[in-house]
Amino acid sequence: MDQMSSLRALLLALLQICVFRVEFTVAQKDPEFIIQPIVKIQEDSQPNSLVLEFRVKTVDPDPQIEIFNINPPTTVFALPTIHQGTGNTHNVTLRLSSNASLDFETLRLYRLELRVSANNSTATQTLEVEVLDVNEPPQCDAVFQFPGAVVKIPNDLTVPIELYHVVASDPDINNNLNYRIHQVWPASARPQFMIDDTGTIYSNQGFGYQSSDKDFIVNVTVSDEQGASCRGKVRIEILPVLDHTLNFTVPSQSVTISEDIQVGSVVAIVKALGSDLRYEFVGNYPAYRISQDGIIRTTCELDLETNGDQQRSILMIRAFSTTHRSGTATVNVTVLDVNDNPPTCTPSVIVLCIPETISIYSELATLSCSDADITNNSVSYQLEPNAVSQFKFRLQGSQLQASPMLASLELPLVNNTLDYDNAEIAHNNFQYKATIFVIDGGLPPLTTVVQVLVTVTPVNEFIPGFQQPVQFLVNEDAGRGTVIGMVRATDRDWEHDSIRYSITGADQGFSINPKTGELYLRRELDFETQPTHQFVVQAVDLNQDINPSVRKQTTQEVTINVQNVNDNPPECNPFYETEIYSTLSLTEEILSLTCWDIDGDRLTATLTNGGKNDRFRLNELQLFSKNAFSYNPEGIFDPIFFELRIEVTDGKFSTTVLVIIHVKPWTTTVPTTTTPTTTRKPRVQTVISSYWEPEPWFVAVMTVTIALALIALGLLIWKILQCTSACGKPTQEMSQPLLQNTYMNFAEEAKPQNPRDTPQTFDGKAQDPVTGRNYLFNSITGERRWT
């Protein structure tokens, strides 16, 4: 029994270990990212700069990580590197590539799809890299910076004289430039020059070719609002005005060109009458140049959105000859706007984190969009959700008309419940994505795309609920550690049914698995003492809210009904002694046994002491006479004293009752009552029959063991038969003496060794102890015949 108990304990321990391993494997996610999904980096970050450090949790000692998708495609990110951390964590480093260059004005968001492979499984993670704006210095025209621009001005122009327009731009959006003259040579001419907010240099005095300086150098500083700057200089040469005016074939002409005209394209051609002529602009027109033969061309790309003054320009052209003759003409240039600027929006990407309980139609963000084109600058909006965010958002109005250059729209609005508690949104990392298309009114229309990324955070909304009612039935002979059943509570919050169970109140001998809700028995039960047990199980949800301390709980009363098992023997009054008359009727009860069973089982009684069964009978627990008693002095004379042993059983256990009956011979046939009397001290004899009922697992083990033993025995017999057949049969001479000796032994054993050993024979004669008369007794029928 000790070995069987040890074997049983070992098997139970192995089973518990296997269950734990399975539960642990199911509960653990491997591999798993530990990462911040959104990271920000400045646009002036140097190559090989650190982007993000994060961790990967896995038991695999050699996980592999990669970037399997980048949107939009780019090479600015290097391959991530991974190395062992503490425990089951691995540290991952993501850096910029060696040739990386970030530009906030060009691209503000990268979306990386990371994938880690470990333990024959993979896990993916989306990482949003947002580029932050950094102030960049203005950019001045290269010639203006070095060696410097050269302007030639005739000495007869009237004041104020427009001398030069400084060409500069700022890479940063919506950053105003400031122009300042910081030095003039000669210094005495400093009060003569000024510069306006557009970068145009003027002279407030006229130039005298004969009486004043003929060369000037003006140094200009261009700075932005943050103080970053670039510098350049303009050299001004004064030209003498010659006599004898030259005449142009077309003194004044008007031309119209498109904004998207190629650099160097012909704008107009001027022609003066004469020979050996040269042409030059009287004023400063940075967007145009004129050749010595009178052809006017563009010098740069025209952009009316940057410089609205380019929409209409009046070019003054001077023609002069080597004979000191000159003349002027004008060209009116009109530039037509082209839809070459898509709308710009702030913010360019909408990234939000909101709780799942946000109310419908709540405003999430404000999007402001503008079109830099000076014409056709109205914008309209169109929302396009993906399959997951369908019907989750809406724009207030499908198309908006806005005032020139600016449109403002409050968007998007929550159009439906943002549910966190379903597998579909969990598969998408609890993110809703949509796209807003901002379309301008030009032909063809240009579109700007604004990505919307809304991450929903969990809110513990629902209280766990038990399945009603909770009742279990268990046998009262169940051992400690027996699994009674399982309680189950459900929670509609994600992850569903993340619940911990506990038993509240006083200890009643039951325990519960906090994860699975399995109930275990910790002490022995007794139906007769307490047939029903009641206690309260509490269920608390876990990790159902962004704040882990926010939990909801519920309780459920559990009823354990104990199933009665026959584990108590019947109890009886152990001894009865009574006196009856020999004339008692066969149908009249001699006595009734007083017996009971705590388990409530049905009791049966049986006479156990041999021949007394022929004289008495039992009807359930009532004792009756089976045959009439005979006390005829001339005939059969029955005994007057009977000692009966009666076994009372409930089917499993039994108790023996001793009954003493005194028969009083009586010649009358009148029935009399019995008078029980107790003449000696009662003797209590209780027999408890117990048996061992093996458990199913032991039956299985013993069946397999017996089968193996029978197979081994069969193999052994087969081997012995083989050996006997090989050795041969014994000869007749060897076996004959053995048979003779055997017969002699049998004959000797058959002979009587002593006359006393001869069996005695009973002749059937007996003497009555009361009358002294002899009679013949028939042991088969029990009859007496007097002699």
Side-chain angles (χ1 to χ4, degrees):
M1 292 299 291
D2 293 339
Q3 292 180 350
M4 286 189 289
S5 299
S6 300
L7 179 60
R8 178 185 177 187
L10 178 60
L11 291 176
L12 289 176
L14 290 175
L15 180 59
Q16 291 176 355
I17 292 174
C18 292
V19 171
F20 173 78
R21 288 290 300 273
V22 170
E23 291 179 350
F24 178 77
T25 303
V26 171
Q28 186 182 31
K29 294 180 179 179
D30 192 350
E32 179 183 6
F33 280 92
I34 304 176
I35 186 174
Q36 178 183 357
I38 300 176
V39 63
K40 299 181 180 181
I41 185 171
Q42 293 185 341
E43 65 174 331
D44 61 348
S45 298
Q46 298 300 314
N48 299 319
S49 296
L50 177 65
V51 178
L52 178 64
E53 289 183 340
F54 59 93
R55 293 178 296 165
V56 172
K57 187 175 183 181
T58 177
V59 297
D60 192 333
D62 186 23
Q64 302 297 321
I65 190 167
E66 62 178 335
I67 304 175
F68 69 91
N69 185 39
I70 302 179
N71 186 23
T74 183
T75 59
V76 300
F77 297 100
L79 294 176
T81 58
I82 187 169
H83 54 276
Q84 180 67 44
T86 59
N88 292 333
T89 60
H90 299 262
N91 298 324
V92 182
T93 303
L94 179 62
R95 295 181 178 274
L96 296 178
S97 63
S98 58
N99 59 348
S101 177
L102 303 176
D103 187 6
F104 172 82
E105 289 72 27
T106 303
L107 191 58
R108 305 182 183 183
L109 180 69
Y110 296 92
R111 183 174 290 107
L112 283 68
E113 300 289 340
L114 304 176
R115 177 167 56 203
V116 61
S117 301
N119 282 337
N120 297 324
S121 63
T122 60
T124 60
Q125 175 67 42
T126 300
L127 176 63
E128 305 282 349
V129 180
E130 184 177 347
V131 181
L132 300 180
D133 188 22
V134 175
N135 184 52
E136 300 175 80
Q139 297 177 358
C140 294
D141 180 72
V143 176
F144 170 70
Q145 287 184 292
F146 182 82
V150 178
V151 178
K152 296 180 180 182
I153 301 297
N155 65 343
D156 62 345
L157 297 179
T158 58
V159 294
I161 305 171
E162 183 178 337
L163 301 175
Y164 181 78
H165 181 77
V166 178
V167 179
S169 62
D170 194 330
D172 299 312
I173 298 176
N174 299 326
N175 205 349
N176 296 323
L177 296 179
N178 179 40
Y179 301 88
R180 180 175 61 88
I181 298 174
H182 68 271
Q183 187 180 14
V184 176
W185 184 89
S188 59
R190 174 64 184 88
Q192 181 178 349
F193 299 97
M194 64 186 67
I195 189 170
D196 62 12
D197 293 338
T198 65
T200 302
I201 301 175
Y202 295 91
S203 174
N204 57 10
Q205 298 178 12
F207 297 100
Y209 183 80
Q210 302 294 335
S211 60
S212 62
D213 295 321
K214 301 177 180 61
D215 266 331
F216 302 90
I217 297 177
V218 179
N219 294 281
V220 178
T221 299
V222 182
S223 59
D224 62 12
E225 296 175 352
Q226 285 72 33
S229 64
C230 63
R231 292 187 175 187
K233 61 182 179 180
V234 180
R235 181 179 178 180
I236 303 172
E237 298 180 1
I238 308 302
L239 300 178
V241 177
L242 304 177
D243 297 331
H244 308 291
T245 303
L246 293 174
N247 295 321
F248 284 82
T249 57
V250 181
S252 177
Q253 58 179 307
S254 299
V255 296
T256 301
I257 61 175
S258 175
E259 180 185 13
D260 58 352
I261 189 172
Q262 296 293 325
V263 177
S265 298
V266 176
V267 177
I269 300 176
V270 293
K271 191 69 175 175
L273 300 177
S275 60
D276 196 17
L277 301 178
R278 300 290 184 267
Y279 299 91
E280 64 179 3
F281 285 136
V282 175
N284 181 34
Y285 310 109
Y288 307 96
R289 62 182 173 85
I290 187 169
S291 63
Q292 295 296 324
D293 53 0
I295 300 176
I296 301 173
R297 301 175 184 271
T298 58
T299 61
C300 61
E301 293 183 352
L302 302 180
D303 188 0
L304 299 182
E305 291 75 34
T306 303
N307 188 357
D309 294 339
Q310 293 179 350
Q311 188 173 12
R312 290 180 177 84
S313 301
I314 300 177
L315 307 180
M316 296 187 64
I317 300 98
R318 183 194 307 277
F320 58 93
S321 68
T322 57
T323 59
H324 304 288
R325 296 179 62 196
S326 67
T328 59
T330 58
V331 177
N332 296 317
V333 181
T334 301
V335 181
L336 299 179
D337 184 35
V338 174
N339 188 24
D340 57 351
N341 292 283
T344 58
C345 297
T346 303
S348 59
V349 178
I350 298 177
V351 180
L352 301 170
C353 288
I354 59 176
E356 62 172 323
T357 54
I358 189 170
S359 59
I360 297 177
Y361 306 135
S362 296
E363 178 185 338
L364 300 182
T366 300
L367 181 65
S368 296
C369 298
S370 62
D371 190 347
D373 293 311
I374 62 175
T375 60
N376 300 319
N377 50 20
S378 61
V379 294
S380 60
Y381 301 87
Q382 181 178 344
L383 176 66
E384 183 174 321
N386 61 10
V388 177
S389 60
Q390 189 76 23
F391 308 117
K392 299 297 182 182
F393 308 101
R394 74 169 187 174
L395 293 174
Q396 190 66 28
S398 59
Q399 184 178 8
L400 293 180
Q401 295 293 330
S403 59
M405 302 299 293
L406 183 64
S408 179
L409 176 67
E410 293 182 354
L411 61 96
L413 300 179
V414 180
N415 195 44
N416 204 339
T417 302
L418 300 180
D419 190 8
Y420 183 94
D421 307 315
N422 62 74
E424 182 180 15
I425 186 63
H427 181 71
N428 289 276
N429 295 324
F430 305 100
Q431 292 178 343
Y432 291 98
K433 298 178 183 179
T435 304
I436 299 175
F437 295 97
V438 184
I439 307 169
D440 66 12
L443 291 175
L446 299 179
T447 302
T448 296
V449 176
V450 178
Q451 298 292 341
V452 178
L453 178 63
V454 178
T455 301
V456 181
T457 58
V459 176
N460 195 354
E461 302 176 83
F462 305 106
I463 299 175
F466 281 93
Q467 300 175 353
Q468 302 284 347
V470 180
Q471 293 187 356
F472 299 101
L473 186 66
V474 59
N475 291 337
E476 66 173 323
D477 60 349
R480 296 181 181 179
T482 300
V483 178
I484 299 173
M486 178 185 295
V487 296
R488 179 174 175 79
T490 57
D491 192 347
R492 289 185 288 166
D493 290 307
W494 186 269
E495 294 179 358
H496 298 316
D497 307 337
S498 177
I499 296 174
R500 292 295 181 267
Y501 302 92
S502 62
I503 296 177
T504 63
D507 183 11
Q508 296 194 26
F510 301 93
S511 61
I512 190 169
N513 187 318
K515 293 183 179 180
T516 64
E518 280 191 334
L519 292 169
Y520 302 95
L521 181 62
R522 293 178 49 244
R523 65 176 177 83
E524 295 180 352
L525 301 176
D526 188 2
F527 173 84
E528 291 72 29
T529 302
Q530 186 175 356
T532 302
H533 299 265
Q534 289 183 332
F535 53 87
V536 176
V537 172
Q538 176 179 271
V540 180
D541 57 15
L542 299 178
N543 303 322
Q544 307 288 20
D545 197 280
I546 192 172
N547 182 3
S549 63
V550 178
R551 299 180 179 180
K552 294 183 182 294
Q553 64 184 32
T554 186
T555 58
Q556 175 63 44
E557 186 178 72
V558 177
T559 301
I560 306 296
N561 295 316
V562 182
Q563 178 70 37
N564 189 22
V565 174
N566 188 6
D567 58 348
N568 293 286
E571 299 181 19
C572 299
N573 289 337
F575 177 75
Y576 296 85
E577 186 172 7
T578 184
E579 185 179 65
I580 63 175
Y581 287 96
S582 61
T583 56
L584 182 67
S585 173
L586 299 181
T587 60
E588 187 174 351
E589 174 186 310
I590 297 176
L591 59 83
S592 179
L593 302 180
T594 303
C595 298
W596 62 93
D597 190 351
I598 298 178
D599 298 316
D601 296 317
R602 182 175 178 272
L603 301 180
T604 60
T606 306
L607 283 166
T608 61
N609 56 336
K612 300 300 187 292
N613 295 334
D614 298 330
R615 303 299 303 169
F616 301 94
R617 64 183 178 88
L618 287 167
N619 183 9
E620 293 185 351
L621 298 182
Q622 287 78 36
L623 181 64
F624 296 88
S625 175
K626 189 174 183 181
N627 297 311
F629 297 98
S630 175
Y631 295 100
N632 187 354
E634 302 297 331
I636 298 174
F637 199 93
D638 288 332
I640 61 174
F641 173 82
F642 294 91
E643 181 178 311
L644 305 181
R645 287 183 176 83
I646 301 175
E647 182 182 37
V648 180
T649 178
D650 59 7
K652 183 176 180 180
F653 302 101
S654 63
T655 298
T656 300
V657 176
L658 180 63
V659 178
I660 303 298
I661 300 177
H662 300 275
V663 181
K664 200 170 189 179
W666 199 256
T667 57
T668 180
T669 58
V670 179
T672 60
T673 59
T674 61
T675 304
T677 58
T678 301
T679 59
R680 57 182 177 179
K681 185 177 180 181
R683 291 182 298 171
V684 178
Q685 182 178 3
T686 302
V687 178
I688 300 177
S689 299
S690 61
Y691 67 95
W692 176 58
E693 182 181 359
E695 296 188 8
W697 67 268
F698 182 75
V699 174
V701 172
M702 290 303 297
T703 302
V704 174
T705 304
I706 292 172
L708 294 175
L710 290 176
I711 292 172
L713 181 60
L715 292 175
L716 179 61
I717 294 173
W718 177 73
K719 190 68 176 177
I720 292 173
L721 291 176
Q722 275 190 333
C723 181
T724 304
S725 177
C727 295
K729 300 180 180 179
T731 62
Q732 185 176 359
E733 291 78 3
M734 295 176 63
S735 60
Q736 187 67 26
L738 179 61
L739 293 174
Q740 292 176 356
N741 293 334
T742 303
Y743 295 152
M744 293 176 64
N745 292 335
F746 286 161
E748 290 176 358
E749 291 176 359
K751 295 179 180 180
Q753 301 297 324
N754 195 315
R756 296 179 181 176
D757 297 332
T758 303
Q760 301 294 323
T761 304
F762 177 61
D763 57 1
K765 293 183 179 180
Q767 187 178 49
D768 184 74
V770 178
T771 62
R773 297 179 59 186
N774 295 327
Y775 64 91
L776 294 177
F777 177 77
N778 191 333
S779 61
I780 296 177
T781 62
E783 296 179 351
R784 296 181 181 182
R785 188 174 62 185
W786 299 97
T787 59

